[in-house]
Amino acid sequence: LEVSPYISSLRMIAYKLSPLPTTHDESPLAQRSNRQKRYNGRLNEYYFKKRLAGDYFQAVHRVEYDLSEECLTFCSMELPWNILDLHFTPCSAEKLFELGAGRSYEFYLRFLQVLTWQAPELPSTWMLKCPWHLAYLDDLHTTFSDSPFIWTHRNPLECISSSCSLFFAIASQVMDPWTIDKKVLGRNVAKYARLSFDRAFAAVEKHKDTVKVVHVKYTDIVKDPIKVCKDICCATGLPFSSEYESLLNEHIAQSHAKRKKQSRSGISGKVGITHCYSLEEYGLNADEISADYKSYIEKYC
């Protein structure tokens, strides 16, 4: 969806690193010029941080300057999503969820309004993405009441083990990896996932008369991403043109080529690396998870 010419996404990390204009001239030309200046000025910082994070993190969660990025930084003023603290959230999920989102989404809405104001030539419809929204759909819908949710469903056997790997990668940025007990992490991530699922479905049921949810199977995305994009556009009222389809084909080809190169040579070009993970590595049992999510898997996966 991020390549659609009809929507905007938080694809420029320049916005994340320096989102506010540094000029007092409010004319569209001045704002566009200032935005480009900030974009170019942050490239070196981006490449430094990318190198600092290392090959392993990039294999787990690919970050590029011009690809859509998560909502973490923008929402971390009140939500516990700061990258330095995020790996602790599964360990205290119940208490954190009780606190709710506070005014985080209100601040996020204003942030998006600032971005929209300084770039009037870009589409004013925004695509936002972040798996951690799942536990806060009630708060999210309250603020973005006219926005549809696109919920991608992946088999919990895969997404829970993937989440364990992601949390381990994040924790490894600020802790020595050998100090992290993977089995303790696994138990907490599994609990965090279960609570998030329950809260999400409860929120959808609570707002069933006002919220629009488009359910998408992850396997369908892998099998036919263009058809999935067409279906989403049809369900949400977004245009789907030949121009968009051409951009999609180009993006998919480039993405496959980058992933193939990454798995073969590593981000640095020195280390071969592939993102591998398993439930067993984190002390989790596949049969138990399959039984726990049996009805969900049958309906959505």
Side-chain angles (χ1 to χ4, degrees):
L1 291 175
E2 69 177 272
V3 301
S4 170
Y6 310 109
I7 61 175
S8 295
S9 63
L10 296 168
R11 66 179 66 181
M12 298 182 184
I13 296 189
Y15 279 148
K16 175 182 283 191
L17 298 175
S18 182
L20 298 177
T22 55
T23 176
H24 294 292
D25 188 337
E26 298 187 8
S27 68
L29 181 61
Q31 288 298 316
R32 189 181 305 116
S33 175
N34 183 255
R35 193 168 70 251
Q36 187 64 44
K37 179 181 178 181
R38 285 180 284 130
Y39 175 90
N40 294 334
R42 293 293 182 171
L43 274 170
N44 287 336
E45 181 178 352
Y46 159 73
Y47 284 119
F48 170 75
K49 290 184 175 179
K50 180 179 177 179
R51 184 72 61 175
L52 191 64
D55 285 335
Y56 178 69
F57 185 84
Q58 191 72 350
V60 174
H61 179 74
R62 188 161 64 103
V63 177
E64 297 290 346
Y65 206 57
D66 285 313
L67 288 183
S68 294
E69 189 46 46
E70 311 287 355
C71 304
L72 292 177
T73 300
F74 314 101
C75 295
S76 62
M77 288 185 288
E78 291 210 352
L79 284 168
W81 292 355
N82 185 288
I83 196 67
L84 298 178
D85 304 319
L86 186 60
H87 54 285
F88 291 120
T89 57
C91 303
S92 52
E94 289 176 304
K95 292 186 179 298
L96 290 174
F97 289 161
E98 288 176 3
L99 298 175
R103 297 185 61 194
S104 183
Y105 291 127
E106 294 179 44
F107 296 146
Y108 195 15
L109 177 60
R110 292 193 178 189
F111 176 83
L112 294 171
Q113 289 170 338
V114 169
L115 296 187
T116 303
W117 165 78
Q118 66 177 289
E121 75 279 7
L122 298 179
S124 59
T125 298
W126 285 89
M127 181 200 73
L128 311 175
K129 65 162 191 154
C130 186
W132 285 281
H133 288 314
L134 196 63
Y136 298 97
L137 293 189
D138 190 3
D139 301 271
L140 188 63
H141 178 63
T142 298
T143 302
F144 297 91
S145 56
D146 59 345
S147 299
F149 296 153
I150 302 169
W151 189 342
T152 303
H153 299 279
R154 187 181 183 187
N155 193 309
L157 292 175
E158 298 173 353
C159 68
I160 290 177
S161 56
S162 177
S163 296
C164 288
S165 180
L166 175 61
F167 277 113
F168 179 79
I170 294 172
S172 298
Q173 300 297 304
V174 293
M175 301 170 63
D176 288 322
W178 60 268
T179 67
I180 304 170
D181 189 324
K182 287 189 173 182
K183 290 180 171 52
V184 172
L185 177 63
R187 288 197 301 271
N188 282 287
V189 170
K191 183 178 180 181
Y192 181 92
R194 180 75 262 182
L195 290 171
S196 296
F197 269 82
D198 292 343
R199 286 174 60 88
F201 279 112
V204 170
E205 177 63 24
K206 176 181 177 181
H207 299 288
K208 61 183 178 181
D209 295 329
T210 57
V211 67
K212 183 177 184 61
V213 182
V214 181
H215 297 282
V216 177
K217 293 184 178 181
Y218 177 78
T219 52
D220 289 340
I221 297 176
V222 175
K223 182 171 59 178
D224 194 346
I226 292 181
K227 181 181 183 302
V228 170
C229 287
K230 284 182 179 178
D231 292 342
I232 290 174
C233 288
C234 181
T236 58
L238 289 170
F240 189 94
S241 62
S242 57
E243 176 192 5
Y244 179 22
E245 186 167 6
S246 177
L247 290 170
L248 273 174
N249 281 312
E250 181 181 355
H251 174 74
I252 292 168
Q254 291 176 351
S255 180
H256 286 169
K258 283 183 179 180
R259 288 181 180 277
K260 184 177 180 179
K261 181 180 179 181
Q262 175 180 322
S263 63
R264 183 174 63 248
S265 62
I267 303 305
S268 66
K270 299 178 181 178
V271 182
I273 188 166
T274 302
H275 183 206
C276 299
Y277 47 82
S278 67
L279 290 169
E280 292 73 20
E281 181 182 359
Y282 293 92
L284 300 175
N285 184 281
D287 291 336
E288 292 177 359
I289 291 177
S290 293
D292 188 26
Y293 288 91
K294 184 175 183 296
S295 60
Y296 168 78
I297 293 172
E298 291 174 350
K299 184 174 182 179
Y300 293 105
C301 302

